[in-house]
């Protein structure tokens, strides 16, 4: 680690990054060629590129061209390639995407209303990235109903796992967000994005049905441990419903059909015990969450009314939320409806809102809140009507909802990748319900 890395978080030097990346690239090429379709290969490569770029944050955060950072250029490039060469135009008309388009339209309108067109374009690109990942997953599943490409997509998360293991081996931790301990995030910049990316890996493992059982279990265990080592409390809490659902279904489906009823009871009892142990283990870490939930309205108030102790609750999140809500309330009636503009908080507040609904209210107003809730509702409904694995899908969507309550996955590209992958799988599973089997359209297979 060098002194140059300190403002950003600890980072490996190029002497470690380059040779490790070269080895990981070999695994990527193999995985992409065996993904089974152009769409499947695109998902594998897009995820791998994003997670690998995170390890190069000292370089990728800097402006490279046109004032855009390396990460921004990478996201734009991936989105453009997906729209031009992967996404079938007909799939852009999926009804499930209508709330996404509503959010894009509101972002552009609010940006124009508040005189910041650039902010609207930035948000539009982010939602385009979400849309591309969603449709690519959907198309890959139409060609590959057994989701074999997801087994190869596990390779996309090797950069996270390998660099995290190296940070442990080389003793390269990072101070936690709360300043009360160390976290292990493989030389990446921040535990929020890293833990969300690792959670995405667990999601992929949960639905990679065709992967060898031993490999799949090992991958699930590695990503589960990876989230814990990242130490980001919001992700750990949001992660719980998905982990529990995977654990319960895994135990239940591991035995013959006639033994599943007693096994399901055993699984529930074991799940309750695990939750109890986890609650005791993290009791101190989540003590301030309990304090907030005991009287949430009491901690949403004018920022000047917060005393010293209240400012420390949940890493100051109630103070942050209150600051944004009261700033929005001081806007004009039109701004109450359409917000103060996408990403308009930058340069006004020191930290982002740490809550998707608070951020949406501030940026896009009440209409934005309605569109965001509509998106979540549409996807929850699709998960509820899905063919197969409904329980895991509902748990995954609930986990994503919890994630949005104390951080902003829609602001991180890692969060957009998580939701795009989840929603693509959900939309496919919901559309497959009617026939009980997946449809196999006559599409050209990706070579290899």
């Amino acid at each position: 680690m060098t002194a140059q890395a300190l403002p950003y978080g600890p980072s490996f030097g190029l002497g470690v990054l380059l040779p490790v990346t070269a080895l990981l690239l070999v695994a990527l090429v193999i995985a992409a060629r065996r993904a089974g379709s152009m769409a499947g290969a695109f998902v594998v490569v897009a995820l791998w590129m994003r997670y690998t770029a995170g390890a190069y944050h000292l370089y990728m955060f800097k402006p490279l061209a046109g004032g855009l950072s390396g990460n921004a250029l990478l996201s734009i490039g991936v989105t453009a390639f997906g729209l031009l060469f992967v996404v079938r135009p007909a799939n852009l008309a999926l009804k499930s995407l209508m709330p996404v388009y509503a959010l894009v339209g509101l972002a552009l309108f609010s940006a124009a209303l508040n005189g910041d067109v650039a902010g609207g374009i930035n948000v539009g690109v982010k939602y385009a990235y979400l849309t591309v990942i969603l449709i690519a997953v959907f198309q890959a599943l139409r060609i590959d109903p057994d989701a074999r490409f997801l087994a190869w997509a596990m390779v996309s998360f090797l950069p996270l796992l390998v660099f995290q293991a190296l940070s442990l081996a080389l003793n390269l931790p990072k101070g936690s967000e709360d300043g009360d301990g160390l976290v292990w995030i493989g030389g990446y910049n921040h535990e929020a994005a890293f833990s969300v990316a690792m959670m995405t890996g667990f999601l992929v493992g949960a639905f990679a049905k065709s992967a060898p059982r031993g490999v799949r279990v090992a991958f699930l265990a590695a990503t589960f441990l990876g989230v814990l080592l990242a130490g980001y409390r919001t992700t750990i809490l949001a992660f719980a419903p998905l982990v529990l659902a995977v654990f319960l279904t895994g135990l239940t489906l591991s035995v013959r059909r006639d033994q599943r009823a007693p096994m399901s009871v055993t699984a529930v009892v074991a799940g309750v015990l695990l939750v109890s142990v986890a609650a005791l283990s993290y009791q101190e870490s989540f003590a301030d969450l309990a304090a907030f939930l005991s009287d949430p309205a009491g901690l949403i108030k004018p920022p000047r009314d917060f005393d010293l102790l209240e400012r420390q609750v949940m890493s100051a999140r109630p103070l942050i939320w209150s600051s944004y809500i009261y700033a929005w309330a001081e806007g004009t009636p039109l701004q109450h409806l359409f917000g103060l503009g996408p990403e308009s908080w930058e340069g006004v507040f020191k930290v982002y809102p740490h809550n998707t609904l608070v951020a949406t209210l501030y940026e896009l107003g009440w209409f934005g809140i309605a569109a965001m809730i509509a998106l979540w509702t549409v996807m929850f409904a699709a998960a509820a009507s899905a063919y197969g694995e409904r329980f895991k899908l509902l748990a995954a969507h609930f986990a994503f909802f919890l994630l949005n309550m104390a951080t902003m996955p829609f602001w991180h590209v890692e969060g957009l990748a998580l939701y795009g992958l989840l929603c693509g799988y959900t939309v496919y599973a919901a559309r497959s319900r009617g026939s009980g089997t997946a449809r196999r359209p006559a599409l050209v297979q990706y070579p290899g």
Side-chain angles (χ1 to χ4, degrees):
M1 184 178 71
T2 64
Q4 182 185 7
L6 291 177
Y8 299 97
S11 174
F12 294 112
L14 292 178
V16 173
L17 289 172
L18 293 177
V20 173
T21 301
L23 292 175
L24 293 170
L25 184 60
V26 174
L28 172 68
V29 172
I30 296 172
R33 289 184 59 83
R34 298 184 180 181
S37 67
M38 180 66 169
F42 173 78
V43 172
V44 172
V45 174
L47 295 178
W48 185 92
M49 290 176 66
R50 179 63 192 183
Y51 303 144
T52 301
Y56 289 80
H57 63 84
L58 287 183
Y59 312 97
M60 297 298 286
F61 280 8
K62 296 178 180 179
L64 294 183
L68 297 174
S69 69
N71 278 336
L73 292 171
L74 177 62
S75 297
I76 292 171
V78 167
T79 303
F81 183 90
L83 287 172
L84 291 173
F85 303 110
V86 179
V87 170
R88 299 177 65 200
N91 289 330
L92 290 170
L94 288 170
K95 292 181 180 179
S96 302
L97 290 172
M98 294 303 109
V100 177
Y101 298 151
L103 285 165
V104 173
L106 283 168
L108 294 174
F109 181 79
S110 180
L113 182 68
N114 290 281
D116 181 20
V117 178
I121 295 174
N122 289 340
V123 171
V125 171
K126 288 182 178 180
Y127 281 116
Y129 182 94
L130 167 68
T131 301
V132 165
I133 297 295
L134 188 158
I135 294 178
V137 171
F138 174 77
Q139 291 180 188
L141 287 168
R142 284 176 62 86
I143 297 170
D144 174 21
D146 295 324
R148 287 183 293 271
F149 83 97
L150 286 181
W152 292 107
M154 293 192 295
V155 171
S156 304
F157 299 88
L158 286 180
L160 301 173
L161 295 169
V162 170
F163 284 121
Q164 186 179 54
L166 284 174
S167 70
L168 287 165
L170 300 177
N171 192 30
L172 189 72
K174 174 185 178 294
S176 68
E177 182 185 52
D178 305 319
D180 57 359
L182 299 176
V183 296
W184 305 87
I185 56 173
Y188 288 69
N189 185 54
H190 196 277
E191 54 267 37
F194 182 88
S195 62
V196 169
M198 197 68 82
M199 180 176 169
T200 308
F202 188 90
L203 178 73
V204 167
F207 292 106
K209 299 170 289 187
S210 66
R213 185 174 181 180
V215 173
R216 186 183 180 195
V217 170
F219 182 77
L220 287 170
T223 49
F224 172 76
L225 182 61
V227 171
L228 298 184
L229 288 172
Y232 195 62
R233 293 184 299 175
T234 300
T235 306
I236 292 172
L237 180 62
F239 194 39
L242 176 59
V243 173
L244 189 59
V246 172
F247 174 76
L248 294 177
T249 55
L251 279 183
T252 303
L253 298 178
S254 65
V255 297
R256 298 196 311 267
R257 187 177 296 273
D258 61 328
Q259 297 176 336
R260 288 179 181 174
M263 179 55 78
S264 63
V265 175
T266 304
V268 169
V269 173
V272 171
L273 290 175
L274 286 174
V275 170
S276 301
V277 170
L280 291 173
S281 301
Y282 285 93
Q283 182 177 7
E284 185 176 345
S285 297
F286 292 106
D288 53 354
L289 174 61
F292 172 75
L293 293 178
S294 65
D295 184 23
L299 285 175
I300 300 299
K301 56 187 179 182
R304 63 179 179 274
D305 293 344
F306 280 75
D307 60 33
L308 182 60
L309 290 178
E310 290 173 337
R311 288 172 179 269
Q312 298 173 357
V313 172
M314 294 175 60
S315 302
R317 277 172 172 75
L319 172 62
I320 295 169
W321 299 338
S322 296
S323 300
Y324 276 90
I325 291 171
Y326 278 86
W328 165 83
E330 293 175 357
T332 67
L334 201 58
Q335 288 176 324
H336 290 167
L337 293 176
F338 296 102
L340 283 78
E343 300 190 350
S344 57
W345 59 269
E346 295 185 7
V348 178
F349 296 94
K350 292 183 178 179
V351 294
Y352 73 169
H354 283 79
N355 181 296
T356 295
L357 290 180
V358 171
T360 304
L361 180 67
Y362 182 84
E363 296 181 346
L364 305 181
W366 284 119
F367 281 112
I369 290 285
M372 184 62 71
I373 292 176
L375 174 60
W376 291 343
T377 302
V378 165
M379 292 304 171
F380 263 114
S385 64
Y387 172 76
E389 301 189 297
R390 183 180 306 164
F391 180 49
K392 283 196 292 187
L393 282 172
L394 287 171
H397 281 280
F398 182 58
F400 184 77
F401 171 78
L402 291 178
L403 198 61
N404 281 272
M405 294 301 99
T407 190
M408 290 170 54
F410 283 98
W411 190 68
H412 295 290
V413 174
E414 290 80 3
L416 295 170
L418 166 61
Y419 201 50
L421 197 148
L422 173 60
C423 291
Y425 196 102
T426 300
V427 171
Y428 172 79
R431 289 169 64 93
S432 300
R433 181 190 179 200
S435 62
T437 57
R439 292 173 289 178
R440 296 175 179 267
L443 295 178
V444 177
Q445 296 286 319
Y446 187 67

